[in-house]
Amino acid sequence: MKLRDELPVDHHLASVYRYGAGFCGLVLLAFAALGFADALSPFDTAGDTIAGMTTNVALSVISTVVGLALLGGAVIGGNFASTLNIVVGGLFFLSGFAHVFVLDRPANILGFGMSNVIFSFVMGLFIATFGMYGRVSSKLSHDNPYWAARHPEQAAREKTAARPAPAGTAETAGALPAAAKPVRRGRR
């Protein structure tokens, strides 16, 4: 099963992935722009505080790259945006876990503080949720393309049952009301 083949181009879930990637990308670009506005040194571990989080030029550059990648995913849309959101959300989680261990140490080259770690977890959850919406659940509706890809036999049975029978077949002749059935006249 290939993820890129599951979602039709015009499916309503594509707009959720697109808007989620675009919104999160804009938030990251705004944070990066505020970091660049203070003209910090590239690897200052005691960076200035912006929106309650510490930052430096290196973190602003990374935020810009990730924000632009998410905006690119929003432009492309569809399964690409969904997969990108899931991957970027996972990377935010990993970044949060990694930076918990380097707080107040020289290895903290991005100048993370505890508020940055919390933001990384929250933003990672937010981005990943946009990517997994309608894609990962135990209660997907039967018209969802991801459900159909996971249950091909049952989806085929439901599709066949929902399809109208061609005119003139035995199935449609038996479905006509009694008044609409042809009447035979003549001798037996």
Side-chain angles (χ1 to χ4, degrees):
M1 171 170 69
K2 295 180 182 177
L3 293 176
R4 68 177 178 267
D5 297 333
E6 289 180 5
L7 186 66
V9 175
D10 61 345
H11 198 273
H12 67 278
L13 290 175
S15 62
V16 173
Y17 306 143
R18 181 175 297 226
Y19 292 134
F23 174 74
C24 294
L26 289 175
V27 168
L28 290 174
L29 286 176
F31 177 73
L34 292 172
F36 284 130
D38 282 347
L40 306 169
S41 64
F43 297 105
D44 184 16
T45 57
D48 287 342
T49 302
I50 297 190
M53 296 180 286
T54 58
T55 187
N56 59 20
V57 173
L59 182 57
S60 294
V61 168
I62 292 170
S63 296
T64 301
V65 170
V66 173
L68 290 174
L70 286 172
L71 285 178
V75 169
I76 295 170
N79 281 341
F80 179 79
S82 173
T83 304
L84 181 68
N85 286 345
I86 293 170
V87 169
V88 169
L91 291 175
F92 264 84
F93 272 109
L94 290 176
S95 171
F97 282 121
H99 282 94
V100 163
F101 296 109
V102 297
L103 288 175
D104 299 328
R105 297 210 170 113
N108 188 4
I109 61 171
L110 297 179
F112 262 53
M114 193 59 186
S115 59
N116 296 73
V117 171
I118 293 170
F119 175 79
S120 187
F121 287 136
V122 170
M123 193 64 155
L125 176 65
F126 201 60
I127 296 170
T129 299
F130 273 121
M132 291 185 283
Y133 180 79
R135 192 172 181 171
V136 179
S137 175
S138 63
K139 300 289 185 185
L140 294 175
S141 64
H142 289 215
D143 67 338
N144 187 305
Y146 297 110
W147 179 88
R150 293 181 191 127
H151 305 92
E153 296 87 19
Q154 187 175 354
R157 284 192 307 267
E158 288 180 9
K159 188 175 181 180
T160 303
R163 185 182 317 139
T169 63
E171 296 166 357
T172 58
L176 293 174
K181 288 186 180 180
V183 178
R184 293 187 181 175
R185 298 183 190 230
R187 293 187 174 168
R188 290 189 197 205

